[in-house]
């Protein structure tokens, strides 16, 4: 697959990713809206549990993320066979890790929730939800590896269509289990958990079938045991900093949720509702950031580094315009939107305050996403890792605890520290990308390879000429 193909233009890559993410957003919004009909406590449990699940996904996202970047680079350099091998290994390793996490969450849901400071009155609900949805972590692991592999071949539409089907099934099953419709039992939060696992199982099956034919040579069942130590080493080399980066984000978010749990269930529910609205703001921007990562990785693999450099800025400016407009729309209609989820005036008031601050947050997040993903695409993953370790832990977490809990600024203080974290990481990524360290290195390697090839060709020609003269 060549980058010159119009199918790999920024927009053609981005819009299916956006549809997929938007449908996942609708899935989360439908979850939150439907679960809010059970109780605000149920919403708090779902929001808290989802942070836990995201934290645990970092254990296999290392492999999936590293594999995705390498798949795009290998295809860009026209080495499809290596890309195929990398994808198979990513799926296998992710499945093993996901299975281990599933067993852990089935056996110890209540203990884990208590350890993370969830209020005691919410523990019975958490036990039900975490054990069922957490028991399906192996499905999340497989979906992550499969969709990442498929998407980085340039096929962003396949995961999109899967997401459409997954959303339809999930919403229907949610409605059935929560309200006892269509002859289904009225199982409340347990029904929501079962619905989540069922639709993920169906999506995994569809993605696996799609995965088998995603490369030039079809993957057979016998091929699934393939393992190449050298290529896996490359995956880990790129992937482990991404895993640390992601783990910094999800574990700091998990800690922030535990801080909110200290403040009370209203703050916890308000942040959960805000997560839903906030997601809408940056969906298209994040889609552009993911698309430009694929495109830059293809260009970088093909040795077209100057094109790769300019694309990051183009994606950043387009994304900034999009997220700013979206944040403003959400701000204007925030009170009415929050009113759809809850009648608790205290929760609505907290949410409205955060929506004003969200206008400041989103541009910083977009700069960070676009340029951070660009750095990852060229293999500069250690830099994004170190900026995350520094800023997320010191600013988004330690400073947030001091300002929000110790100084008593509450949810507003914690959110202000999250904003500061995004701008620090975004600024550092901008400075790094301008330095072009990895791009210059790639140009030198390309020039040396060309010089060596030219020298060998000239040497061969001279040898041939000498032999003819003799």
């Amino acid at each position: 697959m060549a980058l010159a193909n119009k199918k790999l233009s920024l927009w053609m890559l981005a819009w299916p990713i956006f549809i997929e993410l938007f449908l996942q957003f609708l899935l989360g919004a439908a979850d939150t809206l439907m679960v809010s009909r059970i109780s605000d406590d149920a919403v708090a449990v779902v929001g808290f549990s989802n942070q836990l699940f995201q934290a645990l996904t970092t254990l296999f996202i290392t492999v999936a993320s590293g594999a995705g970047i390498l798949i795009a680079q290998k295809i860009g350099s026209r080495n499809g066979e290596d890309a195929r091998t990398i994808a198979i290994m990513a799926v296998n390793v992710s499945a093993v890790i996901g299975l281990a996490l599933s067993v852990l969450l089935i056996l110890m849901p209540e203990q884990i929730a208590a350890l993370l400071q969830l209020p005691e009155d919410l523990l019975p609900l958490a036990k039900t939800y975490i054990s069922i949805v957490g028991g399906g972590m192996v499905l999340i692991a497989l979906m992550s590896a499969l969709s990442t592999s498929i998407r980085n071949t340039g096929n962003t539409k396949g995961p999109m269509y899967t997401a459409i089907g997954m959303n339809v099934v999930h919403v229907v099953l949610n409605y059935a289990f929560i309200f006892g419709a269509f002859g289904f039992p009225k199982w409340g939060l347990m029904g929501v958990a079962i619905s989540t696992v069922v639709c993920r199982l169906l999506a995994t099956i569809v993605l696996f079938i799609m995965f088998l034919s995603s490369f030039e040579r079809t993957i057979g069942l016998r091929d699934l045991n393939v393992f190449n130590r050298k290529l896996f080493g490359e995956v880990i080399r790129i992937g482990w900093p991404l895993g640390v980066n992601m783990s910094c984000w999800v574990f700091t978010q998990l800690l922030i949720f535990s801080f909110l749990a200290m403040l009370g269930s209203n703050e916890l529910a308000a942040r959960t509702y805000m997560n839903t609205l906030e997601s809408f703001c940056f969906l298209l921007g994040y889609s552009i950031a993911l698309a430009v990562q694929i495109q830059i990785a293809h260009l970088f693999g093909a040795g077209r580094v100057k094109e790769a450099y300019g694309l990051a800025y183009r994606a950043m400016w387009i994304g900034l315009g999009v997220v700013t407009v979206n944040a403003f729309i959400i701000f204007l209609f925030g009170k009415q939107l929050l009113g759809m989820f809850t009648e608790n005036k205290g929760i609505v008031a907290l949410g409205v305050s955060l929506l004003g601050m969200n206008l400041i947050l989103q541009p910083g997040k977009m700069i960070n996403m676009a340029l951070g993903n660009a750095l990852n695409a060229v293999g500069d993953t250690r830099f994004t890792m170190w900026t995350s370790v520094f800023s997320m832990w010191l600013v988004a977490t330690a400073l947030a605890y001091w300002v929000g809990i110790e100084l008593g600024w509450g949810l507003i203080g914690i959110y202000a520290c999250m904003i500061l974290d995004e701008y620090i990481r975004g600024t550092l990524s901008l400075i790094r990308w301008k330095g072009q360290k990895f791009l210059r290195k790639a140009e030198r390697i390309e020039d040396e390879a060309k010089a060596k090839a030219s020298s060998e060709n000239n040497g061969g020609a001279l040898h041939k000429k000498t032999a003819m003269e003799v």
Side-chain angles (χ1 to χ4, degrees):
M1 186 180 296
L3 188 64
N5 191 322
K6 291 182 179 179
K7 290 181 180 179
L8 288 183
S9 69
L10 183 63
W11 176 244
M12 291 303 290
L13 284 170
W15 78 261
I17 295 175
F18 168 70
I19 296 298
E20 181 188 350
L21 293 176
F22 182 67
L23 289 171
Q24 288 177 6
F25 159 74
L26 288 181
L27 187 74
D31 250 358
T32 306
L33 185 61
M34 290 180 174
V35 172
S36 70
R37 298 299 178 260
I38 301 172
S39 68
D40 286 329
D41 282 351
V43 170
V45 166
V46 170
F48 181 90
S49 301
N50 286 340
Q51 290 298 319
L52 170 63
F53 300 147
Q54 285 183 11
L56 292 174
T57 59
T58 60
L59 296 172
F60 51 78
I61 205 71
T62 297
V63 177
S65 300
I69 291 170
L70 271 178
I71 288 167
Q73 288 184 1
K74 296 293 184 185
I75 291 175
S77 61
R78 300 186 182 277
N79 195 345
E81 195 61 29
D82 277 359
R84 178 180 181 273
T85 301
I86 290 166
I88 293 170
M89 290 190 295
V91 171
N92 289 339
V93 175
S94 297
V96 171
I97 299 171
L99 188 59
L101 293 175
S102 291
V103 172
L104 176 67
L105 292 171
I106 289 171
L107 295 178
M108 303 179 63
E110 199 168 5
Q111 295 91 323
I112 293 170
L115 183 66
L116 295 171
Q117 304 297 315
L118 189 71
E120 193 173 342
D121 56 319
L122 299 181
L123 288 178
L125 285 173
K127 180 181 179 182
T128 299
Y129 191 80
I130 291 173
S131 62
I132 296 173
V133 178
M137 281 297 289
V138 64
L139 300 176
I140 300 175
L142 283 168
M143 285 174 62
S144 174
L146 292 168
S147 60
T148 300
S149 298
I150 294 166
R151 194 181 295 121
N152 279 277
T153 64
N155 176 16
T156 54
K157 292 182 181 179
M160 175 194 72
Y161 292 133
T162 305
I164 293 172
M166 183 176 170
N167 269 269
V168 172
V169 173
H170 189 59
V171 170
V172 171
L173 287 180
N174 263 9
Y175 181 80
F177 281 124
I178 291 174
F179 303 107
F182 315 124
F184 281 77
K186 194 174 182 180
W187 281 345
L189 188 61
M190 183 176 75
V192 172
I194 292 171
S195 166
T196 301
V197 173
V198 168
C199 70
R200 282 177 179 164
L201 174 61
L202 294 174
T204 301
I205 293 169
V206 173
L207 286 170
F208 183 73
I209 294 169
M210 198 180 302
F211 171 76
L212 296 178
S213 57
S214 290
F215 298 88
E216 290 181 10
R217 191 161 64 89
T218 303
I219 298 170
L221 295 179
R222 290 182 179 179
D223 297 323
L224 294 177
N225 63 356
V226 68
F227 190 85
N228 184 305
R229 184 175 295 181
K230 183 182 176 183
L231 288 175
F232 190 70
E234 289 186 48
V235 170
I236 297 302
R237 179 180 57 80
I238 289 182
W240 77 263
L242 289 172
V244 173
N245 190 354
M246 179 64 74
S247 67
C248 283
W249 187 82
V250 292
F251 280 107
T252 54
Q253 289 297 307
L254 191 59
L255 279 174
I256 289 168
F257 261 73
S258 69
F259 300 161
L260 299 178
M262 295 178 194
L263 296 173
S265 57
N266 271 12
E267 284 78 2
L268 199 57
R271 179 58 188 152
T272 302
Y273 291 132
M274 262 303 296
N275 269 354
T276 302
L277 296 182
E278 195 180 291
S279 295
F280 171 77
C281 294
F282 68 82
L283 276 178
L284 186 50
Y286 185 49
S287 305
I288 292 168
L290 286 177
V292 84
Q293 177 177 297
I294 296 170
Q295 200 174 23
I296 288 173
H298 276 264
L299 285 167
F300 186 74
R304 296 160 63 182
V305 294
K306 290 182 180 178
E307 291 177 60
Y309 178 71
L311 273 175
Y313 294 115
R314 179 168 174 258
M316 182 187 74
W317 286 113
I318 293 171
L320 279 171
V322 168
V323 299
T324 302
V325 170
N326 286 348
F328 189 68
I329 292 171
I330 291 293
F331 176 72
L332 287 178
F333 300 100
K335 190 172 183 180
Q336 295 89 330
L337 291 169
L338 287 165
M340 293 171 58
F341 295 104
T342 180
E343 296 177 358
N344 186 316
K345 292 182 179 179
I347 294 175
V348 171
L350 280 170
V352 169
S353 300
L354 294 182
L355 286 172
M357 299 178 74
N358 187 52
L359 287 167
I360 306 170
L361 171 72
Q362 292 304 322
K365 185 184 282 287
M366 186 63 231
I367 294 169
N368 184 25
M369 288 189 301
L371 296 177
N373 279 24
L375 289 168
N376 290 337
V378 299
D380 197 4
T381 54
R382 293 193 185 189
F383 178 80
T384 55
M385 175 192 74
W386 285 118
T387 57
S388 297
V389 170
F390 162 73
S391 185
M392 289 185 189
W393 286 105
L394 291 181
V395 179
T397 307
L399 185 62
Y401 179 81
W402 183 64
V403 172
I405 306 298
E406 296 294 328
L407 296 184
W409 287 27
L411 181 55
I412 301 298
I414 292 171
Y415 203 80
C417 293
M418 292 168 63
I419 293 173
L420 181 59
D421 162 59
E422 292 287 355
Y423 277 95
I424 288 173
R425 287 187 289 129
T427 302
L428 290 174
S429 294
L430 176 61
I431 293 169
R432 181 72 166 189
W433 186 252
K434 281 193 171 185
Q436 301 184 53
K437 178 183 175 182
F438 267 67
L439 295 174
R440 292 183 193 279
K441 182 179 177 182
E443 281 186 320
R444 284 199 306 271
I445 293 171
E446 184 74 16
D447 290 343
E448 287 170 5
K450 286 179 180 178
K452 184 179 178 182
S454 176
S455 175
E456 288 175 353
N457 289 338
N458 290 337
L462 181 62
H463 178 74
K464 185 177 179 181
K465 182 180 178 182
T466 304
M468 288 177 67
E469 288 174 351
V470 172

